Amino acid sequence: MTPFEVGLLMTGVLLVLVIFGVRVAFAAAFTGLVGLIVHFSMKMGFERGFFVALKMAGTIPHSKSVTYALSVLPTFILIGFLAFYAGFTKQLFEAAKRWLGWLPGGMAVGTVFSTAGFAAVSGASVATAAVFARVAIPEMLEAGYSKRLSAAVVAAGGTLASLIPPSAILVIYAILVEQSVGKLLIAGFLPGVFSALIYVGIIVAVSAWRGDAPPVKGYTWMERIESVPGTLPIIAVVAIIFCSFFFGLATPTEAGSLGAFVVLVVAFAKGMKARQLGQALHETAKLTVMIFTLIWGVLVYVRFLGFAGLPDAFKDFIVGLEYSPWIVMICILLAYAVLGMFMDAIGMLILTLPVVYPAVIALNGGEGVSAADSAFGMSGEACAIWFGILVVKMAELCLITPPIGLNCFVVSGVRPDIPVQEVFRGCIPFFVADVLTIAGLLAFPSIITILPSLMG
């Protein structure tokens, strides 16, 4: 059996384990370790190959966890949990409701913008959906909104956290493909706003047509202005992170740490107790450990893939296809849509990028290609950023599509009176909105690449 055949076999085993419910981290670590043992045993005998494979797999957690770029993850996660326990979400929603409630579906529009605002300090889609299921849905139901629309808006709005910086999944993408974390995070800003605006357009159109989301009126200008100060801490954190990245004033880790400090000071000023701080730190630690464990497990598998030669084989296959590069790119994105129906976003990206990313870069013309000589009209670095945003947007799409649709299950879990089937049905217009967003990002790549190109 050749190394390539061993690679295909172990990849098949991995997919079977994931389908049967084994956690991606453990399934990947197991198949990667077994693959390494088989590979080295074929070269140097079982006894020696076993110990070589074991030592190689054992060095990965340490070598990868001490990477400076990974230190940004806990700081971004901490910002989100501190903002939640400090009560910033209620203030965001209240401000959005007062300023935008007069529109058809105004409270739903306000929910989209408040989830986008919270996404700018959270970076976690599931957490955003869970928080606003508690904050926004009761008020929308009280105002006469249907359960289907109320739940769907929260589930779809939560997905914006994957794009709008700081985004944990974009950080992971940047680390895996060895691109600038700062440029990837900045690149997600305009697509995130673009996606939110399309959501708003869909909500206004559907609400005006169905009439099941009446506008909320009666707020005076003074009441609207009074709601603004409660949003200032989040605006400050967004400004700190954006300016630090865009102008090169600080590294992502430094910017995240400063943002966490600002939120912590404001939280204590607002009366956050030591118990709430402990809860925020505990939740941050749990989520950080989960992500790091996933990275460690999958990187064992990735190390095996390198020895098996699967990334190079897939790259040669993609480049050799006699189809337009644009057709191939669309097929790759469709494959992500299907895969995302059965896997969580982070696990899906970590598993596939080591194979798919080199193929996409090669399809464009290589890492050092100029925009003039490339297939997609952009340099190698710009293509890496463009593809990253597209893939993350596909991961967002999968958060509201069955059968996994994690955000839909989270919203239904927080609100047991709303069946998950109703949430999925309500998300159909937002699925259409996401398809339109992806089409726009494919047709106009500059939406993604313009801000990173200005960073130099």
Side-chain angles (χ1 to χ4, degrees):
M1 186 178 290
T2 65
F4 180 76
E5 290 170 338
V6 174
L8 289 178
L9 175 62
M10 297 314 301
T11 299
V13 172
L14 171 61
L15 293 176
V16 170
L17 291 174
V18 171
I19 290 172
F20 279 94
V22 179
R23 296 286 184 182
V24 172
F26 305 122
F30 171 75
T31 53
L33 177 58
V34 172
L36 288 172
I37 291 172
V38 172
H39 175 78
F40 285 109
S41 294
M42 290 191 303
K43 285 192 169 185
M44 55 186 67
F46 175 76
E47 185 174 350
R48 188 178 174 195
F50 177 83
F51 286 105
V52 169
L54 208 61
K55 288 179 180 178
M56 180 172 290
T59 62
I60 291 175
H62 175 264
S63 63
K64 295 301 178 182
S65 61
V66 296
T67 303
Y68 178 72
L70 272 177
S71 62
V72 70
L73 284 175
T75 63
F76 284 175
I77 294 169
L78 179 60
I79 290 175
F81 281 114
L82 286 175
F84 167 65
Y85 284 107
F88 292 169
T89 51
K90 293 181 179 179
Q91 295 166 329
L92 265 179
F93 179 73
E94 183 63 28
K97 180 178 70 175
R98 294 186 185 187
W99 284 91
L100 300 169
W102 58 273
L103 290 167
M107 287 185 71
V109 172
T111 300
V112 168
F113 280 113
S114 54
T115 53
F118 185 68
V121 296
S122 170
S125 296
V126 173
T128 302
V131 167
F132 280 90
R134 296 182 177 92
V135 173
I137 289 180
E139 296 213 27
M140 283 191 280
L141 294 179
E142 187 177 343
Y145 284 47
S146 66
K147 288 184 177 181
R148 180 181 296 184
L149 176 61
S150 301
V153 166
V154 171
T159 67
L160 296 173
S162 296
L163 276 183
I164 297 176
S167 164
I169 195 169
L170 277 176
V171 172
I172 293 171
Y173 174 88
I175 292 168
L176 288 174
V177 304
E178 298 181 350
Q179 293 292 326
S180 166
V181 173
K183 287 188 176 182
L184 256 302
L185 291 172
I186 286 295
F189 182 76
L190 288 182
V193 173
F194 179 57
S195 184
L197 291 176
I198 292 182
Y199 278 175
V200 167
I202 290 287
I203 290 170
V204 172
V206 170
S207 300
W209 173 49
R210 291 180 180 171
D212 61 348
V216 178
K217 300 179 180 179
Y219 289 106
T220 66
W221 282 103
M222 182 58 66
E223 288 174 324
R224 291 171 178 166
I225 293 171
E226 287 173 351
S227 69
V228 172
T231 67
L232 293 181
I234 288 181
I235 294 174
V237 172
V238 173
I240 288 170
I241 293 174
F242 185 89
C243 293
S244 297
F245 293 163
F246 192 76
F247 296 108
L249 302 177
T251 66
T253 300
E254 292 167 347
S257 301
L258 182 57
F261 176 74
V262 170
V263 174
L264 179 63
V265 170
V266 175
F268 275 129
K270 289 181 174 294
M272 186 176 76
K273 306 299 182 183
R275 180 179 61 84
Q276 294 171 312
L277 174 61
Q279 289 174 322
L281 293 173
H282 184 247
E283 293 295 333
T284 299
K286 285 201 304 184
L287 185 54
T288 301
V289 169
M290 185 272 288
I291 293 175
F292 273 56
T293 302
L294 187 57
I295 292 173
W296 295 338
V298 172
L299 285 177
V300 175
Y301 170 72
V302 169
R303 182 66 60 89
F304 159 65
L305 284 184
F307 284 107
L310 258 65
D312 289 337
F314 185 75
K315 178 180 69 176
D316 294 340
F317 169 74
I318 290 294
V319 174
L321 291 174
E322 296 181 359
Y323 297 101
S324 163
W326 289 99
I327 297 296
V328 176
M329 174 62 77
I330 291 172
C331 289
I332 290 173
L333 295 179
L334 290 175
Y336 271 108
V338 174
L339 189 60
M341 293 180 180
F342 305 97
M343 295 181 63
D344 66 277
I346 294 178
M348 177 178 70
L349 294 192
I350 293 178
L351 276 180
T352 59
L353 284 176
V355 175
V356 176
Y357 173 77
V360 170
I361 297 301
L363 189 65
N364 186 54
E367 292 186 356
V369 70
S370 65
D373 298 327
S374 65
F376 298 123
M378 61 189 79
S379 66
E381 182 186 41
C383 181
I385 294 173
W386 176 63
F387 179 64
I389 299 300
L390 287 174
V391 169
V392 169
K393 186 59 191 176
M394 292 305 301
E396 285 187 3
L397 179 67
C398 297
L399 288 171
I400 57 172
T401 54
I404 299 299
L406 191 55
N407 275 22
C408 295
F409 280 98
V410 166
V411 171
S412 181
V414 174
R415 296 287 311 201
D417 57 314
I418 307 177
V420 70
Q421 294 88 344
E422 279 293 289
V423 186
F424 278 124
R425 291 191 188 100
C427 284
I428 292 175
F430 298 100
F431 173 84
V432 175
D434 280 343
V435 171
L436 292 175
T437 299
I438 293 165
L441 298 178
L442 282 169
F444 305 101
S446 58
I447 297 175
I448 297 172
T449 59
I450 183 65
L451 287 181
S453 67
L454 296 176
M455 294 173 65

